[in-house]
Amino acid sequence: MKKAEFLGELRRYLEENLPDTDIEEAMEFYDGYFRQNMDMGKSEEEISGELGDPRLIGKTIVEANYKGPQRRANTERGRPKERETKEEPKSRVNLWIGICILLIAVLFLFGMAKFILFFLWPFLPVLIPAGIAVMLFRVIRKR
């Protein structure tokens, strides 16, 4: 795909979804990208092949403009306004779910430790000196 075709298709997609200032910013970026890579010896077809589908790029640009901490209100040319979403309740639910999972994990670990110690308790007088002996043997063997 030639540069003009790529940029034209990208512009058509963006014109349906973004204000003119954002469209021009994106078009300048991709025009510069083509120029920079053509200066390095690549053909227009190679560059457009690397970039991929211009509609997918346009979709990504639109999503980036409508999401994030600073949402952009778009009232130009009758485009739909962005809906406000309430993320507060969802984040609180996620927080409580995380706390519950953490609590269950801690209780499980304590239960497992208690279970293991219950069965190993009679063998601790033998296991501790054996462990120390193995560690000393390894240290001495390395020297």
Side-chain angles (χ1 to χ4, degrees):
M1 179 182 297
K2 294 281 188 184
K3 174 184 172 182
E5 293 173 63
F6 182 91
L7 294 177
E9 199 169 321
L10 178 61
R11 178 179 290 279
R12 279 189 294 280
Y13 184 87
L14 294 177
E15 283 178 344
E16 298 171 6
N17 301 294
L18 287 179
D20 292 335
T21 55
D22 293 337
I23 294 170
E24 291 308 316
E25 184 179 319
M27 299 308 296
E28 287 175 14
F29 173 81
Y30 283 100
D31 184 53
Y33 184 86
F34 267 93
R35 277 188 272 119
Q36 183 181 11
N37 280 285
M38 288 170 60
D39 289 344
M40 293 177 10
K42 291 184 180 179
S43 70
E44 292 180 356
E45 289 83 6
E46 287 177 312
I47 299 166
S48 63
E50 289 174 2
L51 289 171
D53 187 3
R55 290 171 297 186
L56 183 59
I57 292 172
K59 182 179 179 185
T60 305
I61 293 169
V62 170
E63 288 175 357
N65 278 286
Y66 281 108
K67 294 183 179 174
Q70 296 179 340
R71 297 171 182 248
R72 299 180 183 189
N74 188 359
T75 56
E76 291 184 23
R77 292 188 273 165
R79 295 186 188 116
K81 291 183 180 179
E82 186 178 351
R83 289 184 291 151
E84 293 184 21
T85 59
K86 293 185 178 181
E87 296 182 17
E88 182 73 25
K90 187 184 254 186
S91 64
R92 282 190 182 165
V93 169
N94 289 340
L95 176 66
W96 282 108
I97 290 172
I99 289 172
C100 289
I101 291 172
L102 183 63
L103 182 61
I104 290 169
V106 167
L107 290 174
F108 178 76
L109 290 175
F110 278 129
M112 290 301 295
K114 184 178 176 184
F115 181 75
I116 291 170
L117 283 177
F118 177 76
F119 284 107
L120 292 180
W121 188 257
F123 303 105
L124 284 180
V126 174
L127 290 175
I128 291 174
I132 292 172
V134 168
M135 288 176 17
L136 287 173
F137 179 72
R138 287 183 179 174
V139 169
I140 292 171
R141 198 170 89 187
K142 284 184 181 180
R143 290 183 183 186

